Amino acid sequence: MKVSFKWLSQFVSFEHSPERIAEILTQTGLEVEGIEAVGSIKGGLAGVTTGEVIECVKHPDADKLQVTHVNIGDEILQIICGAVNVAVGQKVLVALVGTTIYPKNGEPLTLRKVKIRGIESHGMICAEDELGLGNSHDGIMVLPQDTPVGIPASTALSLDTDYILEIGLTPNRCDAMGHLGVARDLRAYLVHHEGLTAPISMPEFKNVPIQSNPNHAHQVLSDDTCEAYYLASLSGIAVGPSPDWLQNRLSALGVASINNIVDCANYVMFELGTPLHAFDASYFNESLSIRQAYPDESLETLDGVKRKLLSTDLVIDGNGTAHCLAGVMGGKISGVSEQTTEVLIESAYFNPSTIRKTAKHHGIHSEASFRFERGVDPELTAIALQRVVSLILSVAGGTLHYMHEVKAYSTPAIEVEIDFERINKQLGTAFTNAQLTGILQSLDFKPIDESTWRIPRYRSDVKRPIDVTEEIIRIAGFDAVPTPMKWNFSVPLTDTISTEEVRYKVSVLLAANGFNEILNNSLTKATNGALTISKQDGMPVMLKNPLSRDLSMLRTSMFFGILETLAYNKNRQAGNLKLFEFGNTYHRFGERTIEKSTLAMVLTGVHEPESWMGSRPFSFFDIKSEVMNLIQGINPQLIEEVPLSGGTAFSEGIEIKVNGKPLAVLGKLSESWLKTVEFKQAVYGALIDWKRWIELSNSMVDCFTEIPKTFVVRRDFALLLDSSIEYAALVKAAKKVASTRLIATNLFDVYEGDKIEDGKKSYALSFHFRDVERTLTDAEIDQEMDAIRRCFEVDFGAQLR
């Protein structure tokens, strides 16, 4: 949010620089992210200085040019000038080399050293239109003779320079959405630290009495969607351009001038933090109502967009027609134009939740919705209306007909029990009761009795004693908390492995293997929910008030965001990807909602970049290799591979179990999932149950064994099997019947086709044996192989080839 330094000085008396005020506001919690100097003249005449022409001769090669020498205080510049009125002794404005000037008509121009007809020119003697000071181009601008040489042009011309403070406003500080709110914090700081006694200087306005709503001419809903509403009627106004002071004040904040009526409303909004809206009264026939939108009702807003309204949208009605999305944006038809002579001005307090829903649904982020969504000061609604009426009468003329209180704010102010001794204990300070009382009173907190204080209504974020403690320290300053000479720490001892440490090690391992870590939003499209509804995954968790349709459901699978990432990169010529992501998925089972911590991995594209040595696309065995590489610390005897059944994200794949409990699922993602992001390239992925992985990590122990002194012995089988038999089943059976001497099994050839009958296949397997104590004999190895052969014949009907 932008705040004017000069505007602040109208509320609070101080003699500090903009930089010091920025420091103070940052210390109070209103972090100033930047300071920008602005002036009534674009660029503020930066780089333009005063000078005196000490020599002026005709250019030897140009009849209409003069070669001048100009004293600018610390040096004398040679400048070529084409003005007919340039003469020795004149005081002039000189734009130096490197300066950007902003002509009245034309594009900005950055000056550089040039040669004109063979003679160098180091700057420019300026006319008023070349600097944006006026429209005259009859000659250079000549200053009074008593003008000092070498001073900035802005000083010589007494230009009005302001400084804009860019504040990073947090959502809880709704009270600081206008200059008045910022000034309150600034004054509280100055009262505590510098002994300031002057109160806030409120802006002047005609104290016009506010009448009750006669004969209930205006109707407001009885619920809390609109908690306060005030309306003023003016006639005989003259709509036109705003005066310069008003345009300049708004322009400094980056707001374009529209007309004097709308500008007055915007001015008061930035001044007090209370949005107002002006209607052309001819569309209302002296009656106005606030209601919810009708079914299938639409409204063309001021931005020219025709919007279909929801039944929950709050609208301002005139003659049965919606003319404004209340608290968000006005309607185009009833907007103030040059033909308008009568206006209705509204000042209201709309329910923040109602405005937030409407603004989010329609994708509107206006200055009004920004404030109403967070909650404006309900006690300023009437004052803001009186203020804007006074401004309009002063700049547009006209007559005030009435100012009605249609609905008054009735919610009582919050009262909080405050214990000064407890505040000091919480902060580690030793503030006196007088100091604490002074800070609270400077923040407009009112004492009810010795321990109870009434919180001002504009501080809707202060509801608990701890909130009051925070208010104390941000005004007193964190430097007021003493630093102890001794620090005491309690270091917890635990036998379990840090989950963060495990995650870091896994991340490093995956990154070393070519993976990139990503982080996606845990919210996704509601249409994705249908892909995971099952007895195992439950139902998706839907948001009641989603930010958008694409962010309306908590993800039930990590693959939703990952697939969007793949599609985004593929569309930008990055199709070879290895990605991983840690995150949670969310599942609803009846009234119970659970979170599952998951590590997701995906591969897509080719294994190696294109090369003369060739490359191949990723396959199922690549993702399996990556997963097995991660879990290599687990006892292989406990690992079991089970083929996946239907109802998952994979068209084919396996489930890995450890000691009978699921740890991971992996395989090729199904086409139905890839179609959700229109991704046509094969994707292989894995989902690892991270909670289960942490449990296994805690049970893992680093073991060291002596390097074996014996050799590995290999034996092979060529088997004829039914096509339905899987390699994993063979490995499991071999481990079951063989001794611990069997250390590895490998499938090195598969054949189906010629000379193999239908429904059969040929497997070539190798078995590796070793005894760490001694060299195995042929008889011992043959005994192991016979046991495996008999098992294969009995259990699988295998035949040796």
Side-chain angles (χ1 to χ4, degrees), residues 423-441:
I423 288 175
N424 276 320
K425 285 183 178 180
Q426 290 171 330
L427 297 176
T429 54
F431 293 125
T432 66
N433 288 358
Q435 288 175 315
L436 295 174
T437 297
I439 292 175
L440 293 177
Q441 290 181 337

Side-chain angles (χ1 to χ4, degrees), residues 205-505:
F205 57 85
K206 284 189 176 181
N207 190 12
V208 181
I210 297 179
Q211 306 165 340
S212 60
N213 186 14
N215 302 320
H216 302 285
H218 312 295
Q219 301 295 322
V220 180
L221 291 174
S222 59
D223 59 18
D224 63 353
T225 53
C226 177
E227 299 187 53
Y229 198 85
Y230 293 83
L231 192 67
S233 172
L234 295 91
S235 64
I237 60 170
V239 179
S242 296
D244 289 343
W245 69 265
L246 181 52
Q247 292 190 42
N248 291 339
R249 183 56 61 86
L250 293 176
S251 176
L253 300 178
V255 179
S257 175
I258 298 175
N259 58 54
N260 50 4
I261 305 301
V262 176
D263 288 356
C264 284
N266 285 336
Y267 181 91
V268 174
M269 176 179 65
F270 288 108
E271 181 179 56
L272 303 181
T274 301
L276 303 115
H277 188 69
F279 301 93
D280 188 322
S282 63
Y283 292 90
F284 289 86
N285 290 338
E286 295 298 324
S287 65
L288 173 149
S289 62
I290 303 173
R291 59 171 174 82
Q292 290 176 325
Y294 298 137
D296 299 323
E297 188 172 16
S298 61
L299 170 67
E300 184 178 3
T301 46
L302 287 169
D303 56 2
V305 177
K306 190 170 184 179
R307 305 178 186 278
K308 185 176 181 180
L309 306 182
L310 297 177
S311 59
T312 54
D313 291 339
L314 203 62
V315 298
I316 309 299
D317 180 288
N319 302 331
T321 301
H323 286 286
C324 176
L325 265 176
V328 180
M329 185 175 286
K332 188 172 184 179
I333 293 178
S334 59
V336 176
S337 66
E338 293 181 357
Q339 290 72 41
T340 301
T341 58
E342 298 183 19
V343 293
L344 291 175
I345 312 289
E346 74 167 13
S347 180
Y349 181 93
F350 296 113
N351 181 277
S353 178
T354 301
I355 303 305
R356 188 180 304 114
K357 291 176 184 177
T358 296
K360 295 297 182 185
H361 172 76
H362 294 287
I364 300 174
H365 181 76
S366 63
E367 292 287 355
S369 67
F370 172 77
R371 287 163 173 79
F372 280 125
E373 286 176 21
R374 289 158 175 78
V376 299
D377 184 355
E379 294 183 347
L380 283 181
T381 49
I383 294 174
L385 187 60
Q386 292 174 317
R387 171 65 167 156
V388 76
V389 166
S390 296
L391 282 177
I392 290 175
L393 292 176
S394 66
V395 302
T399 303
L400 174 65
H401 282 301
Y402 62 77
M403 197 178 295
H404 287 168
E405 180 187 87
V406 183
K407 185 177 183 180
Y409 190 80
S410 58
T411 303
I414 294 175
E415 295 180 358
V416 176
E417 296 287 331
I418 300 176
D419 184 341
F420 286 170
E421 183 178 350
R422 182 173 179 79
I423 288 175
N424 276 320
K425 285 183 178 180
Q426 290 171 330
L427 297 176
T429 54
F431 293 125
T432 66
N433 288 358
Q435 288 175 315
L436 295 174
T437 297
I439 292 175
L440 293 177
Q441 290 181 337
S442 69
L443 291 169
D444 294 336
F445 289 35
K446 305 296 182 185
I448 305 301
D449 52 41
E450 292 183 357
S451 61
T452 306
W453 290 71
R454 179 175 294 121
I455 312 301
R457 282 195 173 102
Y458 62 80
R459 291 308 306 272
S460 58
D461 59 318
V462 180
K463 300 176 181 178
R464 305 164 300 166
I466 194 64
D467 298 330
V468 178
T469 303
E470 181 183 349
E471 293 300 296
I472 292 290
I473 196 59
R474 71 180 187 85
I475 297 301
F478 289 96
D479 292 340
V481 179
T483 302
M485 297 300 293
K486 179 182 179 183
W487 294 88
N488 296 318
F489 295 96
S490 297
V491 181
L493 298 177
T494 177
D495 295 330
T496 60
I497 299 175
S498 166
T499 57
E500 292 300 321
E501 182 181 353
V502 174
R503 175 170 171 170
Y504 175 75
K505 288 182 177 179

Side-chain angles (χ1 to χ4, degrees), residues 14 77 100 162 324 333 388 512 530 625 670 677 679 714:
F14 57 81
L77 301 178
T100 300
D162 195 2
C324 176
I333 293 178
V388 76
S625 174
S670 68
V677 293
F679 197 78
R714 169 176 168 165

Side-chain angles (χ1 to χ4, degrees), residues 12 67 121 162 191 198 227 240 251 258 281 351 401 476 490 564 573 591 619 622 634 646 667 678 731 768 784 796:
V12 183
V67 180
S121 181
D162 195 2
V191 167
E227 299 187 53
S251 176
I258 298 175
N351 181 277
H401 282 301
S490 297
E564 290 178 0
Q573 310 304 315
E591 298 297 323
S619 69
D622 291 306
I634 299 174
E678 299 181 359
V731 172
H768 303 261
E784 297 276 9
F796 304 104

Side-chain angles (χ1 to χ4, degrees), residues 721-737:
L721 303 156
D722 290 342
S723 297
S724 60
I725 296 174
E726 296 179 345
Y727 169 65
L730 297 174
V731 172
K732 184 178 180 180
K735 288 181 179 179
K736 185 176 181 180
V737 299

